Amino acid sequence: YTGTIMKPPKFRHSDNSEIYYGILTAPLSSPSSYLLLFSRNSMFQWQLGANSWTEHPLIAERRIHQIVPFKGKMFAMDSLQKLNIISLAPQLGMSEIPVVVCGQDMVKPWLVVCGDMLLMVDLCIRVHEFCFQAYRLDLTEPAKWMKLDKLENWALFISMDTRSSTFSCKNPERWGGKSNCIYVPSGSKNSDKPWIEVELGQFVPTSSHPITYILGWKRKQLESFWVLPSLVYGVSE
């Protein structure tokens, strides 16, 4: 996109430092731009321009699945489906937020920033059908995920690999999209469109709908994902 190349310093390699996830916390032009990398046992932080990495130990059983910036904080979902906040300064760290889920057990949650809300999108699976459901984070103690029946004039964009970025779009009718819908990159090369559109809360049959490939998705297979240019350019529109 910009052609900018940044070279972080090397960090010590060990058998437990294989990197499985990384994220740039802000555009390169931002003073709060950090590169975060995650291995089985550690979280590594590099502030652009610094000469060294900062390391913070992690619990090996809790791999980080997704990180999203929201209202100046970094929220992370781990492999145990626990919500955490990552502190970048003055000291690198991560702490769990106890959150009550007002609904069923989670299946495959995604975090999505939608306007002034942090949402968790998840699957609801029945015997022969499934749907997407959304929950809004309410940080009033005790913190809880509150179910949303409608997205109103918003549409959400998710990818099969939860490490990929998720996005929201207001008034998607401007470009031919639909409000209250979830958009997922298509898993079929024969599809007429490169994405699949499913209305929030609408149950679809598992036997015929093309989105059912998400239920058998494997981490090592290549997948399409969404890219939002403003994350790179640092613009608001």
Side-chain angles (χ1 to χ4, degrees), residues 43-62:
M43 170 172 58
F44 301 92
Q45 177 201 62
W46 176 62
Q47 185 173 17
L48 271 66
N51 296 321
S52 61
W53 289 85
T54 302
E55 182 177 358
H56 177 75
L58 297 176
I59 301 174
E61 298 82 26
R62 298 174 62 171

Side-chain angles (χ1 to χ4, degrees), residues 19 32 42 45 54 67 112 117 125 148 158 177 183 186 194 200 216:
I19 302 302
S32 59
S42 297
Q45 177 201 62
T54 302
I67 298 175
V112 188
M117 300 183 296
I125 302 176
L148 279 183
I158 63 175
Y183 287 86
S186 174
L200 181 71

